[in-house]
Amino acid sequence: MSKALEQIERDIKKLGPEQLKAFRAWYAEFDSDAWDKQIEVDANAGKLQSLAATALRDHQAGRSREL
């Protein structure tokens, strides 16, 4: 583990309840944004085409249901 990451862990452990709550909210949004960007990159690169094709074939074959 890098020294920077170890320092971040130590700093997080020092947070009070309200600061930890704020950090969790910030991190959840940060992580969600990173996930969205990665999905967009993968979609633009065509990496999701086979998954979409499989899902459509399954749906057309009656192997899906409404949520």
Side-chain angles (χ1 to χ4, degrees):
M1 185 179 319
S2 73
K3 290 185 181 207
L5 184 54
E6 290 172 357
Q7 183 61 50
I8 291 168
E9 287 181 356
R10 285 191 296 272
D11 290 344
I12 290 171
K13 289 177 183 178
K14 294 177 187 175
L15 297 176
E18 288 301 313
Q19 292 172 314
L20 189 55
K21 181 180 177 181
F23 173 76
R24 282 185 184 127
W26 171 83
Y27 187 79
E29 185 173 341
F30 171 82
D31 195 41
S32 177
D33 289 346
W35 177 259
D36 289 347
K37 288 175 188 169
Q38 185 61 53
I39 291 292
E40 184 177 349
V41 167
D42 289 349
N44 289 337
K47 293 182 179 180
L48 305 177
Q49 290 294 4
S50 66
L51 294 174
T54 299
L56 288 172
R57 278 193 306 273
D58 286 347
H59 179 70
Q60 291 166 348
R63 292 188 296 264
S64 66
R65 59 182 170 83
E66 287 190 38
L67 297 176

